[in-house]
Every structure is written in C-alpha cells, then in structure tokens.
C-alpha cells in the first residue's frame, strides 16, 4: 500500500520539479494530487508519463492525505500548514515560515537526519533555504573531521531562486540589450542582464539582507550553534544553479588533500577539482543534477587551519524540491509514517 501525496504550489518552478523528482525516484505513492490557488485550477502539470489536473487547495480535504509538499510561499504556509498538520497529514514546507520555530525540525537528510524525530510536535518539517542546503551538505563532513570555527560565504545565486518572474526578467532584459530596446526592471531592484546585484530579500537593521541572515541562522540550527557565520548574498545572471565561494576556519588541522578525500566519501557530494582549465564545476553543468558539487579546494594561508572551497548545486533540486522529497523518503524509510489507508 503506497502513500497519498499532495503538492501545494504544483504550478510553480519548485512544485513542477517536485512532481518530476517524485516520479524519477519512484517514491511509493499510490496517488499524487496537484494543488494550487483558485486562479490555477484546471491547469495541467506533468507527473512522470501522466498529466494531472490542478485542484483548488481551498476545497481539498487533507484528512486522507499522508504527506503535503508545500511550495506556495510563506504566507500560504503560515495559514495552511498548521491546519493541514492538525488533520494528521505531515507537511514538508519549502518556505521560510517554519524554519526558525523550535518545534519544527529543519532538515537536510545528509546533515541532521536524526532531528526529524521532532516532527510530531506540529506535523511540520521545514526545508532550508536553497543556498543553505548545498552549503551544509559540503560543511557537515568537514565539521565532523576538524570542527569548524568560522565560515565566510559569498553566494552567486541564479534568478530561478526568485521564481518564474526572475527567469522571465533575465530572458527579457537580455533580449532587450541585444536588440537595443529599453530594459525594464520589475522583479529585481536593478538590471540583472549582464550585471550582478548584491541584494537578495529585504534589508535588516544591521545592514544584512534577510537572505544572508537565513544562511547564518539555518547553518547554526542544522550544523552547530557555536559556528560563526557571515554571508554576502548576490544575484547573478544565471538561470539555474547557485554557486558559493566558501572560506572555512577550523579548530583542528586539515589539509586540502584530506578535505578532498573526506568530501569524495560524503553523501550528496561530488568533487570535481583538477588544477587545469575547466577542472571545476559551474552552474551550467549542475542544472538537472542532484549532487552538491565541490571544486577549487585549497588551503588558506592567511589563517591557521583554513580552507577555501567552491560549492555549486541546482537550487531547484537540492536547494528545494529534491531535499523535500529526500525528507519524505526519510519519513518512510525510518517507519515514522504509515499510509493512512493501510492504517484504516
């Protein structure tokens, strides 16, 4: 007997990717339901070789559903996730609405799988921010080996992190530049075509942006609250795939060769690190892939026990949809949930 899975926000970039990955990975679902707002009702989305018609989530009864993959934004999640969880359906939420709630586990399966046991308090599990997910996959094995003291991150985040509107804006602006049309800016604060913008999400009182704060708070919650973290988040004119330049300072000695060996054995990591032209990964190669790629591993001579690494991953997959489905798989594989049909 398989599970019944509902996807809220099924028409968005991440929702569609969730449907693809559920099918690709053969998740044990007897029934998959595509849900969205009233304006998307009747839209068709693909699930493997099938087509699903999108229903209005407002009219849906979650009491017969086992897992809800929530990808409809923070406001929708704040309103609906507690209601859905109260009906006995486990919500795996992709927004920032629940990540910092002490009663909601924030999970990257390769990093802190055991923390999932706490989901029963609210029946909600949080998916981390896209840039944090790939970061902690790379940091966890290194932290276990040599204990991280401090991390400095500069992100190079693709426009798909801002949704379909962000991707459309990059495309339209790029075309406008080539044909000498006026460049219109709607989604981003400045032109994104042939430019970079050191501003993602809203500014906070201390001068950091909310995106930068998310990386700090989530890394501490999932990895170790004692680690000092600072971040600069930058939007770049790339369609899919976030990149990160990461400088790490450790308590204990670790060499670049040791780090390479550790990361080659680590779950979810793929090391591509040759000291030659093209011997590293870029976002173009990571799009559509599941791994967190790590390149440019080298020692930082300016601090004791320092390393620099380059981390790249598909933000729609490991940064969002894939991680959510890995969380669902974790629930199933550990026997933490059973199909409600079977229980009945």
């Amino acid at each position: 007997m398989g599970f019944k899975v509902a996807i809220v926000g099924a028409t968005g970039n991440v929702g569609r990717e969730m449907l693809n990955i559920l099918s690709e990975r053969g998740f044990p679902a007897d029934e998959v339901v595509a849900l969205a707002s009233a304006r998307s009702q009747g839209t068709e989305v693909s699930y493997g070789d099938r087509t699903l018609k999108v229903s209005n989530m407002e009219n849906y009864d979650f009491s017969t559903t086992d897992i809800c993959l929530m990808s409809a934004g923070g406001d929708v999640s704040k309103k609906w996730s507690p209601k859905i969880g109260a009906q006995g359906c486990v919500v795996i939420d992709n927004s920032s609405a629940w990540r910092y709630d002490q009663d909601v586990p924030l999970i990257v399966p390769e990093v802190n799988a055991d923390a999932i046991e706490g989901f029963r308090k609210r029946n909600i599990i949080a998916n981390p921010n896209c840039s944090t997910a790939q970061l902690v996959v790379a940091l966890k094995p290194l932290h276990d080996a040599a204990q991280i003291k401090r991390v400095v991150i500069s992100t190079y985040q693709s426009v798909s992190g801002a949704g379909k509107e962000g991707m459309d804006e990059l495309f339209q602006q790029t075309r406008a530049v080539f044909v000498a049309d006026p460049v219109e800016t709607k989604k981003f604060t400045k032109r994104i075509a042939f430019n970079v913008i050191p501003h993602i999400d809203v500014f906070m009182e201390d001068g950091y942006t909310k995106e930068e704060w998310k990386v700090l708070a989530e890394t501490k919650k999932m990895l170790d609250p004692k680690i000092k973290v600072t971040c600069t988040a930058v939007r770049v004119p790339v369609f899919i795939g976030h990149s990160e330049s990461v400088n790490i300072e450790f308590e204990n000695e670790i060499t670049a060769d040791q780090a390479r060996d550790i990361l080659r054995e680590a779950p979810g990591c793929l090391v591509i690190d040759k000291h030659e032209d093209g011997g590293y990964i870029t976002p173009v190669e990571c799009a559509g892939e599941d791994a967190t790629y790590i390149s440019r591993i080298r020692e930082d001579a300016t601090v004791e026990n320092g390393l620099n690494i380059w981390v790249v991953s598909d933000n729609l997959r490991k940064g969002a949809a894939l991680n959510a489905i890995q969380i669902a798989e974790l629930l199933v594989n550990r026997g933490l949930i059973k199909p409600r049909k079977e229980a009945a």
Side-chain angles (χ1 to χ4, degrees):
M1 186 78 73
F3 293 85
K4 184 174 181 181
V5 180
I7 297 180
V8 175
T11 57
N13 281 348
V14 174
R16 290 174 189 270
E17 201 65 42
M18 284 173 169
L19 287 163
N20 291 338
I21 295 170
L22 278 172
S23 174
E24 284 172 14
R25 293 173 73 90
F27 187 82
D30 275 356
E31 188 177 352
V32 174
V33 181
L35 302 172
S37 64
R39 72 174 183 272
S40 296
Q41 187 169 349
T43 303
E44 293 187 340
V45 291
S46 297
Y47 169 57
D49 57 3
R50 294 168 52 201
T51 299
L52 305 180
K53 230 169 201 148
V54 175
S55 299
N56 183 354
M57 73 165 295
E58 301 262 351
N59 306 326
Y60 184 74
D61 179 8
F62 286 91
S63 65
T64 61
T65 302
D66 301 297
I67 297 169
C68 170
L69 300 173
M70 175 71 70
S71 188
D75 291 341
V76 173
S77 182
K78 279 177 188 171
K79 178 183 175 182
W80 282 93
S81 291
K83 296 178 184 177
I84 296 167
Q87 293 181 62
C89 176
V90 181
V91 179
I92 301 171
D93 179 45
N94 193 53
S95 79
S96 61
W98 302 100
R99 292 175 189 157
Y100 318 109
D101 189 311
Q102 62 181 7
D103 291 333
V104 174
L106 177 65
I107 301 293
V108 171
E110 298 93 333
V111 174
N112 64 334
D114 290 345
I116 201 169
E117 301 283 347
F119 82 93
R120 289 188 178 89
K121 290 178 183 175
R122 283 184 176 269
N123 253 7
I124 302 171
I125 303 166
N127 218 20
N129 187 38
C130 46
S131 47
T132 313
Q134 66 188 64
L135 174 69
V136 294
V137 167
L139 292 183
K140 167 66 172 169
L142 298 176
H143 183 54
D144 288 348
Q147 198 173 349
I148 295 170
K149 284 169 58 178
R150 179 173 182 261
V151 190
V152 181
I153 308 114
S154 297
T155 74
Y156 304 74
Q157 293 177 232
S158 66
V159 293
S160 56
K164 184 178 181 297
E165 299 96 333
M167 298 178 79
D168 289 346
E169 187 152 313
L170 174 58
F171 177 80
Q172 287 156 6
Q173 288 185 358
T174 302
R175 183 172 58 187
V177 169
F178 276 113
V179 299
D181 278 350
V183 175
E184 291 185 17
T185 298
K186 295 176 185 173
K187 183 68 179 176
F188 300 115
T189 56
K190 296 205 176 198
R191 184 180 113 178
I192 185 62
F194 306 99
N195 197 18
V196 297
I197 306 171
H199 173 198
I200 301 176
D201 212 325
V202 298
F203 275 96
M204 303 174 73
E205 285 185 7
D206 60 3
Y208 281 79
T209 65
K210 188 78 179 288
E211 183 80 4
E212 292 157 353
W213 178 84
K214 289 173 190 173
V215 174
L216 277 58
E218 294 170 23
T219 300
K220 286 172 175 286
K221 182 172 179 177
M222 286 187 286
L223 205 55
D224 188 336
K226 296 190 294 291
I227 296 174
K228 294 177 180 177
V229 185
T230 187
C231 176
T232 301
V234 182
R235 189 74 72 192
V236 297
V238 169
F239 282 108
I240 295 172
H242 288 354
S243 306
E244 295 166 342
S245 169
V246 187
N247 177 262
I248 317 164
E249 189 177 349
F250 297 87
E251 288 280 359
N252 304 310
E253 187 178 350
I254 183 169
T255 66
D257 285 339
Q258 287 170 333
R260 267 184 220 101
D261 291 342
I262 290 163
L263 290 166
R264 283 193 180 109
E265 298 298 318
C269 294
L270 192 55
V271 175
I272 297 179
D273 189 23
K274 296 179 180 177
H275 300 168
E276 61 186 46
D277 292 353
Y280 41 80
I281 201 75
T282 66
V284 169
E285 291 100 44
C286 85
E289 300 293 329
D290 289 345
T292 294
Y293 291 89
I294 302 151
S295 307
R296 303 296 321 280
I297 302 165
R298 61 205 188 278
E299 286 153 37
D300 175 6
T302 68
V303 295
E304 196 174 359
N305 306 327
L307 289 178
N308 290 299
I309 62 174
W310 174 251
V311 182
V312 182
S313 192
D314 182 327
N315 55 294
L316 298 180
R317 291 181 74 90
K318 185 56 189 172
L322 172 65
N323 198 73
I325 280 128
Q326 286 177 307
I327 292 170
E329 291 170 345
L330 195 58
L331 287 169
V332 171
N333 295 340
R334 293 198 173 195
L336 296 171
I337 59 170
K338 298 275 188 236
R340 294 164 93 179
K341 281 189 224 164
E342 185 181 278

